[in-house]
Amino acid sequence: MDGCDCCKTCATQVGGTCNEADTCDYHKGLYCDYSADKPRYEKGVCAYLVGTGCEHDGVIYRNGQSFQPSCKYRCLCVNGAIGCVALCTDSQPPLVWCQNPKRVKLPGRCCEQWICDEPRKTRKAAPRHVAANILGNEVWQRNCVTQTTSWSPCSKTCGRGLSMRISNDNDQCEMVKESRLCNIRPCDVDITKHIKPGKKCLNIYREDQAQNFTISGCVSKRPYRPKYCGVCTDERCCIPYKSKTIEVEFQCPNGAVFSWQLMWINACFCNLSCKNPNDIFAELERYYDYPEIMN
C-alpha cells in the first residue's frame, strides 16, 4: 500500500524519489532519506538503512554493497546477510543432432561448456511432413537456441521466499529474469512433532486443511494444500527433489487481480549433503551439479 494506505503501488527502489505517499521498498531495507531537502524535508531519496555490514573470507562489505567473490557467483550484502546468485547456466544444448553432449572445463573459462564428440550424422530420407517439421525446427534452432537456467534455490529456508532463473524462451528470444514464489517449509510449525515414532526424518509435510495464499492483503482465488519439505532430528537435511511451477491468481480487496508464479513441491529427499553454515556457496553448488527434477 502507498503512504496514504489507500492504493496499491509499486514501491520505490534505491535511488528513486520518495515522499509520504510514494514509499520506499521496506522489504529490501530501504527508507526515505530527506536529509538533502533541507529545510523543507518534503522530497527524499530511497536509501538503505544503516545496517550491519558483512564479512566474507576476511573482507568487510558494507550494507547494500554488491560484490563478486568468484567468477561463478554475484553476491549482495543486506544488513549482515549475504545473498548470491549463480552466474553459470546449467541448461543443456538442444538435442538436434548431438544426442550425448558433455560438459567439460575449458582452459581460461570459468563455467563449464557443452561439447559434442559425435560426428554429425546425415539423416535418412523421411516423409515430406516429417522432413518439413525437422527443417523448420533446425531453422528455428539456428535463429534462436533456447537457453533456460535451473531455478535458483529458494531465498529462504522457511517461509515465503523467491526463486529466480534466466530464460530466452520467448517470442523475442531475449534473456529475461523470471521469478517465482517459493516456500520450502513453514516457519511457525514444529514439524518434528509430526515425525513418526522410531523415525528420524519426515521428508514431506502437509497441512490438514487447504488454505488460501495471501500477499500484501490480496488472497488467492482458490484454496491450496501444498506439500512442504520436512525436517530431520539427525544431521540430515531435506530439500526439494521434484517440483513444478504453477500460476496462482490473487484477488485484492479493491477488486484488482494479478498472477504470480509459484513453486509447487511434489517430492523432497533427506540426505547428509547439508551445507556448511560457514560456506555460503554450498547450496548453490549442490543445485548446480544436481538440479531438482522439474515436471
Side-chain angles (χ1 to χ4, degrees), residues 136-274:
N137 186 49
E138 287 185 337
V139 171
W140 183 87
Q141 293 289 355
R142 285 199 299 269
N143 292 334
C144 178
V145 177
T146 303
Q147 300 179 67
T148 302
T149 66
S150 299
W151 287 103
S152 65
C154 192
S155 60
K156 294 186 178 180
T157 56
C158 73
R160 183 186 298 137
L162 280 177
S163 180
M164 290 178 289
R165 71 177 181 182
I166 299 174
S167 174
N168 68 341
D169 191 7
N170 51 62
D171 294 337
Q172 293 75 33
C173 192
E174 294 181 356
M175 282 292 184
V176 295
K177 182 183 291 184
E178 300 177 353
S179 59
R180 66 177 181 178
L181 298 173
C182 52
N183 193 338
I184 303 300
R185 60 183 60 82
C187 295
D188 54 353
V189 177
D190 184 5
I191 302 179
T192 58
K193 294 181 179 179
H194 300 272
I195 298 178
K196 295 181 179 180
K199 301 291 184 179
K200 294 184 178 181
C201 288
L202 178 68
N203 62 337
I204 287 290
Y205 169 76
R206 206 170 193 181
E207 298 281 1
D208 295 331
Q209 301 292 331
Q211 298 179 355
N212 292 78
F213 297 126
T214 59
I215 297 180
S216 299
C218 303
V219 183
S220 61
K221 283 190 172 182
R222 71 179 187 86
Y224 294 85
R225 189 166 171 251
K227 293 178 180 179
Y228 300 103
C229 289
V231 295
C232 295
T233 57
D234 54 15
E235 298 297 322
R236 286 175 290 178
C237 56
C238 295
I239 60 174
Y241 172 61
K242 292 183 180 180
S243 72
K244 62 181 179 180
T245 302
I246 65 172
E247 192 160 308
V248 178
E249 284 193 338
F250 291 87
Q251 179 85 44
C252 300
N254 62 355
V257 177
F258 65 93
S259 298
W260 254 102
Q261 289 192 102
L262 183 140
M263 174 187 184
W264 186 267
I265 296 175
N266 290 324
C268 301
F269 72 98
C270 303
N271 62 68
L272 291 171
S273 300
C274 300

Side-chain angles (χ1 to χ4, degrees), residues 8-147:
K8 292 284 182 182
T9 182
C10 291
T12 307
Q13 301 302 308
V14 63
T17 303
C18 57
N19 51 45
E20 291 185 0
D22 299 324
T23 56
C24 301
D25 193 345
Y26 67 89
H27 295 94
K28 295 183 179 179
L30 299 177
Y31 78 106
C32 194
D33 180 10
Y34 294 97
S35 60
D37 192 30
K38 297 178 181 179
R40 296 181 304 167
Y41 298 104
E42 293 178 354
K43 185 172 69 173
V45 177
C46 288
Y48 284 105
L49 288 166
V50 178
T52 307
C54 306
E55 187 274 336
H56 171 65
D57 200 19
V59 180
I60 302 297
Y61 300 95
R62 67 179 184 276
N63 183 42
Q65 182 178 358
S66 177
F67 61 98
Q68 190 171 330
S70 164
C71 60
K72 289 187 177 182
Y73 310 102
R74 181 178 292 113
C75 303
L76 177 68
C77 171
V78 180
N79 197 25
I82 298 177
C84 302
V85 293
L87 300 178
C88 295
T89 61
D90 192 38
S91 57
Q92 288 196 12
L95 302 180
V96 178
W97 60 276
C98 183
Q99 298 300 314
N100 297 298
K102 297 179 180 179
R103 192 174 63 185
V104 298
K105 177 70 176 176
L106 298 179
R109 295 194 179 185
C110 174
C111 303
E112 290 83 357
Q113 303 293 316
W114 289 102
I115 64 169
C116 187
D117 294 332
E118 307 170 21
R120 186 159 186 167
K121 298 178 181 179
T122 304
R123 290 188 177 90
K124 296 180 180 179
R128 182 180 298 273
H129 68 280
V130 175
N133 288 338
I134 293 174
L135 179 61
N137 186 49
E138 287 185 337
V139 171
W140 183 87
Q141 293 289 355
R142 285 199 299 269
N143 292 334
C144 178
V145 177
T146 303
Q147 300 179 67

